Amino acid sequence: MSEKNKAVFLDRDGVLNQEMGDYVCKFEDFHVLEHNFATLKELQDRGYMLIVATNQGGIAKSWYTEEQLAEMHAHLRKLYAEHGVEFTDIYYCPHHPNFTGDCDCRKPKPGLLLRGIAEHNIDPAKSYFIGDRERDVEAGTAAGVKGILINSDQPISEILDQIA
């Protein structure tokens, strides 16, 4: 049996790009936090897969489209790739309970993380989820992953000591 992978799951808004206080609906408002390039490269070099798990309820609200979201994610991948960082996957929940009803993927539910764990042969016990909301930590815990709560836009380097 092959050895399982380890991963750092990352929330998007407030962790990888600037927190706007509400949904990032337009590409012009999508500002990548450049202070995390070197830290994520270090985690990747330490053998961690980097996987984004983000709620994007603005899609359900028709505030932006999946095509606009894809443009933001392509930009995110491109900027990080220029610094040697590759995201293994980007998962998003397009639902919102007031518009589409309940789902299994909207954090604090663990669906996005469980999908990544299954698709990429990840050992949850060796993995982490970095987020700027309590719901991120709750989703991590429910998936068997250690959640690390940071402040919005806080450099990930400041919590690097919490990752083995």
Side-chain angles (χ1 to χ4, degrees), residues 148-162:
I148 300 173
L149 183 64
I150 64 171
N151 294 317
S152 294
D153 304 342
Q154 178 181 353
I156 294 171
S157 61
E158 294 178 4
I159 54 90
L160 198 55
D161 63 327
Q162 296 182 44

Side-chain angles (χ1 to χ4, degrees), residues 54-55 92-95 103-113:
T54 177
N55 286 350
Y92 65 92
C93 170
H95 311 111
C103 68
D104 292 330
C105 55
R106 185 173 174 84
K107 298 175 293 179
K109 293 193 178 169
L112 297 175
L113 281 74

Side-chain angles (χ1 to χ4, degrees), residues 57-125:
I59 292 171
K61 295 179 176 184
S62 298
W63 289 359
Y64 51 93
T65 65
E66 293 198 59
E67 291 75 22
Q68 288 169 301
L69 183 66
E71 181 184 14
M72 289 182 236
H73 288 170
H75 180 66
L76 183 75
R77 285 184 183 275
K78 178 181 176 290
L79 283 183
Y80 272 92
E82 290 171 0
H83 292 86
V85 177
E86 179 186 341
F87 293 107
T88 301
D89 226 322
I90 298 178
Y91 297 112
Y92 65 92
C93 170
H95 311 111
H96 190 284
N98 298 345
F99 292 78
T100 53
D102 201 22
C103 68
D104 292 330
C105 55
R106 185 173 174 84
K107 298 175 293 179
K109 293 193 178 169
L112 297 175
L113 281 74
L114 294 174
R115 182 175 163 199
I117 288 165
E119 290 181 3
H120 297 288
N121 190 34
I122 291 168
D123 182 348

Side-chain angles (χ1 to χ4, degrees), residues 38-62:
T39 305
L40 292 184
K41 176 76 168 91
E42 180 182 334
L43 287 170
Q44 179 179 284
D45 291 347
R46 286 167 44 185
Y48 287 95
M49 291 181 165
L50 302 173
I51 299 175
V52 179
T54 177
N55 286 350
Q56 293 298 320
I59 292 171
K61 295 179 176 184
S62 298

Side-chain angles (χ1 to χ4, degrees), residues 123-139:
D123 182 348
K126 294 182 188 169
S127 300
Y128 301 85
F129 186 20
I130 301 171
D132 66 335
R133 298 281 186 266
E134 191 58 44
R135 66 177 171 241
D136 300 320
V137 174
E138 290 175 36

